Amino acid sequence: MDIINFFRSLNGNQATGRPVPPPAQPAAGNCGTRGAVTSSGGAGTGAGAGRFLRPSAAASARRQLRMWAEVLLLPCRAGLRLLPPLRLRHRAPAAMKLQSPQFQALFTPGLRSVAELFEKKNYELRIAGGAVRDLLSGMTPQDIDFATTATPAEMKEMFTSAGVRLINNKGEKHGTITARLHEQNFEITTLRIDVVTDGRHAEVEFTTDWEKDAERRDLTVNSMFLGLDGMLYDFFNGYEDLKNKKIRFVGKASERIQEDYLRILRYFRFYGRIAEKPGDHEPTTLQAIKENAKGLAGISGERIWVELKKILLGNHVNHLVQLMYELDIALYIGLPLDGNLEEFARVAKNTQNLCPKPMTLLMSLFKVKDDITNLDLRLKISKEEKNLGFFLVKHRQELTKAMGPEPLRPYQDFIMDSREANTNSKIFELLKYQGEEHLLREMQQWTVPTFPVSGHDLRKMGVSSGKEIGTALQQLRNEWKKSGYHMDKEELLSCLKKL
């Protein structure tokens, strides 16, 4: 009998709740074995004779053994592998402590005050989700979410009693309280279990079970918690996946996706952010995505566009967009069914180091302006994004660099002739689309010159009619343009005399 089963035999099977039957009694005629207890307290005989326990002493010894059994079994029940392991539903949380500079930098006066309040009330408070992932990657998180065993009502009472201001109560029904301390907002959410899900929203129930909360999260790398002492709580091997640059759903991919179909795009986004190479997917994950792609039809366009833009800004973008078409996702997220994947691959390569806007890259899939209109109907893109899309589709082939010593002239002339806002920015994106990295750098250093002649200058020269002034200014502007925008005021005015 191993040590755990030995202690269980003394105190019942604590893991299953079933009592352990008493040890078998010696057979009749047997004089007993070492340590046997007799009702009279008399001596046993045989090889084991020599050590005897009275009933009271035996009971005391058994009580002490039970006490030590409790102590020694505690780590096993907690999932710590100090003794040979019990059978647990999941692997125990990873035991490691983080003390990086990025982690230490989180402890502002505001966070210290929040931590003190929770500690006084004996409520557990941990950093959750993406912030843990970023910290383990050596990055400073942009946003920090906290999780707690305290209910929203308990948090409200605690903060209100301490005179802490609460803001944005919209998240309260989902378990989130936002407190403001020392000019800093702290978003803290009660541990939750999803009771009912419809693929978009969930009805939740509060819990104090950290593993249950981790189970409802999307990806293993997003399912970890970090104590304020730096202790990592990792129920689903998220840290191992992060180190190996693997993106996996928590549990069954199909179940996680059906809880919120947007998780399909979140999978793509985090793949582009974390995975080291394209094509390193689990076949069962891709199958689950394909089988559930239709669920994206019920997700709002705004939510899809937020995720799609992040995918377009990440790594492996060509691979991921090609995969969206292979897995029948494009149909449900506003992309053209006949998207130009060959052009997309070319532009993705052109823009690899140029930080294009999402629309710049996306437009390479689109063949006609109607594709942009359909995208807008599905995703509700901004007016600026739509205008950039129309600009790129219209000018990507006709507005190109000039041959000869002034390759930038067509772009510069377009800017000078344009009356639209943000023309410079659109030209920059066009150059990225075309893969003109060298010309882009030159164009970014070019300052739009100011036309040096005004109507006031012409009046001083005796031109009084408004119509004549307008005509003269246009003639001078044309001369200025021919000079490459180099002629100054005197040269232009002397030119006017000749005209």
Side-chain angles (χ1 to χ4, degrees):
M1 180 184 294
D2 63 32
I3 188 167
I4 292 178
N5 289 326
F6 170 71
F7 282 122
R8 282 176 173 165
S9 71
L10 296 173
N11 204 30
N13 190 331
Q14 299 294 333
T16 63
R18 296 191 299 272
V20 176
Q25 297 297 319
N30 191 335
C31 296
T33 57
R34 180 187 295 269
V37 179
T38 64
S39 59
S40 63
T45 59
R51 184 178 179 186
F52 310 99
L53 294 174
R54 292 188 298 277
S56 60
S60 176
R62 190 173 290 274
R63 280 196 300 273
Q64 289 186 41
L65 284 170
R66 282 178 180 149
M67 178 189 72
W68 283 108
E70 288 294 323
V71 171
L72 291 170
L73 282 172
L74 276 175
C76 299
R77 291 176 190 149
L80 300 178
R81 310 186 82 165
L82 303 180
L83 293 173
L86 302 179
R87 287 186 176 272
L88 297 175
R89 183 176 51 177
H90 297 299
R91 200 170 112 173
M96 71 160 280
K97 252 189 173 181
L98 183 69
Q99 295 297 336
S100 67
Q102 293 85 355
F103 174 66
Q104 297 296 338
L106 300 182
F107 288 87
T108 60
L111 179 53
R112 293 183 189 279
S113 298
V114 169
E116 287 174 10
L117 288 172
F118 277 81
E119 190 174 0
K120 284 179 184 176
K121 290 288 186 178
N122 290 321
Y123 301 141
E124 291 181 88
L125 180 70
R126 297 175 187 170
I127 301 168
V132 181
R133 180 196 65 238
D134 290 347
L135 287 166
L136 292 173
S137 302
M139 300 163 55
T140 300
Q142 298 299 310
D143 299 302
I144 305 173
D145 294 324
F146 294 88
T148 182
T149 53
T151 65
E154 288 170 335
M155 284 192 279
K156 283 180 73 175
E157 192 279 330
M158 175 184 68
F159 284 127
T160 303
S161 298
V164 175
R165 178 186 167 202
L166 301 179
I167 61 175
N168 187 20
N169 60 3
K170 292 181 181 178
E172 188 175 334
K173 66 179 180 180
H174 302 295
T176 300
I177 296 292
T178 304
R180 186 165 181 79
L181 292 88
H182 296 274
E183 304 302 315
Q184 190 177 358
N185 293 345
F186 295 90
E187 195 171 279
I188 307 166
T189 302
T190 304
L191 298 179
R192 300 172 291 181
I193 301 171
D194 290 341
V195 179
V196 179
T197 59
D198 63 2
R200 289 182 297 173
H201 311 292
E203 291 182 19
V204 299
E205 182 181 283
F206 302 134
T207 182
T208 57
D209 188 329
W210 292 93
E211 184 174 356
K212 285 285 186 184
D213 186 275
E215 278 180 0
R216 64 179 291 279
R217 296 177 182 263
D218 53 3
L219 305 170
T220 59
V221 295
N222 295 334
S223 69
M224 297 175 281
F225 302 102
L226 192 65
L228 299 187
D229 60 353
M231 182 63 72
L232 177 67
Y233 298 87
D234 179 14
F235 297 96
F236 297 99
N237 297 323
Y239 185 43
E240 197 68 24
D241 285 341
L242 189 62
K243 288 191 293 184
N244 294 329
K245 302 186 183 302
K246 288 284 291 183
I247 301 300
R248 294 188 304 112
F249 284 99
V250 172
K252 290 185 178 179
S254 57
E255 291 180 5
R256 296 292 80 75
I257 291 169
Q258 288 163 14
E259 289 165 356
D260 183 353
Y261 291 104
L262 192 67
R263 287 175 171 175
I264 291 174
L265 296 184
R266 283 177 61 81
Y267 173 85
F268 282 88
R269 174 173 36 123
F270 284 104
Y271 191 94
R273 181 171 175 177
I274 292 171
E276 199 162 37
K277 57 186 178 181
D280 189 20
H281 307 274
E282 294 182 355
T284 53
T285 297
L286 297 185
Q287 184 63 30
I289 288 173
K290 186 167 187 175
E291 290 173 357
N292 290 282
K294 191 175 181 180
L296 284 166
I299 302 298
S300 74
E302 293 90 340
R303 293 180 72 202
I304 288 175
W305 186 223
V306 167
E307 291 297 329
L308 184 55
K309 283 191 286 189
K310 292 176 180 178
I311 293 168
L312 293 167
L313 293 173
N315 298 319
H316 317 307
V317 63
N318 181 45
H319 161 70
L320 294 174
V321 169
Q322 302 270 352
L323 198 56
M324 285 182 191
Y325 276 88
E326 290 175 21
L327 300 179
D328 302 328
I329 292 170
L331 169 66
Y332 304 107
I333 61 174
L335 301 184
L337 292 180
D338 61 344
N340 192 339
L341 292 172
E342 186 177 336
E343 174 75 351
F344 186 87
R346 186 186 71 81
V347 174
K349 185 177 180 181
N350 284 349
T351 59
Q352 196 165 8
N353 301 311
L354 302 180
C355 303
K357 291 181 178 180
M359 281 297 289
T360 302
L361 192 51
L362 195 60
M363 285 307 98
S364 58
L365 286 172
F366 293 31
K367 298 176 181 177
V368 293
K369 285 187 174 182
D370 284 350
D371 290 338
I372 303 170
T373 302
N374 293 333
L375 179 78
D376 183 36
L377 289 173
R378 177 65 182 98
L379 303 186
K380 297 179 175 62
I381 61 178
S382 71
K383 183 178 179 181
E384 181 184 344
E385 289 165 338
K386 186 162 57 173
N387 288 340
L388 175 59
F390 285 141
F391 175 84
L392 291 171
V393 169
K394 181 179 180 180
H395 296 290
R396 59 188 169 187
Q397 292 180 334
E398 65 183 44
L399 181 53
T400 57
K401 66 182 178 181
M403 302 303 291
E406 295 184 283
L408 279 178
R409 277 299 296 277
Y411 304 103
Q412 293 168 337
D413 288 348
F414 188 93
I415 290 173
M416 297 304 297
D417 293 340
S418 175
R419 296 179 181 273
E420 295 181 13
N422 301 320
T423 304
N424 282 40
S425 175
K426 292 175 185 173
I427 291 292
F428 295 161
E429 294 305 307
L430 178 61
L431 287 166
K432 293 174 187 178
Y433 185 103
Q434 295 169 342
E436 300 288 358
E437 184 174 358
H438 178 68
L439 293 183
L440 173 65
R441 285 199 298 268
E442 285 189 32
M443 195 69 193
Q444 288 170 333
Q445 294 170 0
W446 181 66
T447 302
V448 179
T450 302
F451 183 54
V453 178
S454 68
H456 181 67
D457 296 320
L458 298 184
R459 287 191 188 93
K460 288 199 299 186
M461 292 184 67
V463 183
S464 57
S465 166
K467 185 176 180 181
E468 289 178 352
I469 289 174
T471 302
L473 285 174
Q474 186 57 52
Q475 289 175 331
L476 292 179
R477 184 177 283 275
N478 291 338
E479 294 299 317
W480 184 56
K481 184 177 180 180
K482 289 177 186 176
S483 74
Y485 313 105
H486 297 306
M487 293 177 71
D488 60 20
K489 182 189 288 189
E490 286 76 16
E491 290 173 316
L492 286 169
L493 291 178
S494 64
C495 182
L496 179 64
K497 295 173 183 177
K498 297 175 186 176
L499 294 172

